[in-house]
Structure formats: C-alpha cells, structure tokens
Amino acid sequence: MKTAHDRKKKAKINSLLFGAVSIGLYAAVFKFADPMVTLYSKGGAYCLLPVSTVFLFSYVHGNFASNVWTALGIEASASAERKKDAKEATKRKDTRSRATVNA
C-alpha cells in the first residue's frame, strides 16, 4: 500500500515531467505557428489536426495540474466519495405507469 509520502513524491516527479512537456508544447506551437496554420487550414482530413492538438494539450495540462495538487497535498475528501457511493446505492425504483398497446 502506498503511503501519502510516496504519492506526493511520485506526484512531484510527474508534475515536473508534465510541466516540462507542457512548456515544450507551447514553445513548439509558438515556434511553428505559421506552418501549423498553413497545415491546419488545408481542409479535409487535416481538420482533425487542431482537434488532436487540443486533446494533447488538455491531456498534458490535466495531468500536470492533477499532479501539482497531489504534490501539494490537496485531494478530494473521502466524504465526497462516500456521498457519491451512497447516492448511487439509494436510487429508487421507477414505479411510474407506462403506456401500453392493446392488440
């Protein structure tokens, strides 16, 4: 079982890694802005390139932010997860009448 110290240590390393990748992505976009605009504006299947670029940035930044919060010791409370589990467990049965077809 991982301790909180182990999680924080791994999160610090991952946040540095994803932070460096994020800086590299932003540097690449600024350096190659003109060729990217030319390539992205060709149309056809090239329309997937801006979308995939956004997903890549979102993935990298999301992992970076998550690891920063974990490294700082800020995590979701256990009571929030218990409330979520309790809400799912207490779902009521649907007893409304349904329309039927008489043949």
Side-chain angles (χ1 to χ4, degrees):
M1 183 174 182
K2 291 185 178 182
T3 64
H5 178 69
D6 292 338
R7 269 195 317 268
K8 284 184 180 182
K9 185 177 180 180
K10 185 174 180 180
K12 286 177 186 177
I13 293 168
N14 283 340
S15 65
L16 290 173
L17 174 72
F18 280 106
V21 171
S22 183
I23 289 170
L25 285 172
Y26 279 105
V29 165
F30 284 115
K31 182 174 182 174
F32 300 109
D34 292 332
M36 287 176 69
V37 169
T38 303
L39 184 66
Y40 288 5
S41 62
K42 281 187 175 184
Y46 290 99
C47 71
L48 297 175
L49 291 175
V51 175
S52 60
T53 302
V54 170
F55 279 131
L56 176 64
F57 272 82
S58 177
Y59 174 78
V60 171
H61 179 74
N63 277 300
F64 167 71
S66 174
N67 284 303
V68 166
W69 290 121
T70 302
L72 293 174
I74 301 172
E75 296 186 14
S77 66
S79 65
E81 291 196 23
R82 280 191 302 247
K83 287 178 186 176
K84 180 182 168 189
D85 292 340
K87 185 177 181 181
E88 289 177 358
T90 59
K91 287 187 179 178
R92 296 184 308 182
K93 184 178 178 183
D94 188 6
T95 58
R96 296 178 290 175
S97 59
R98 300 284 184 240
T100 58
V101 177
N102 295 328

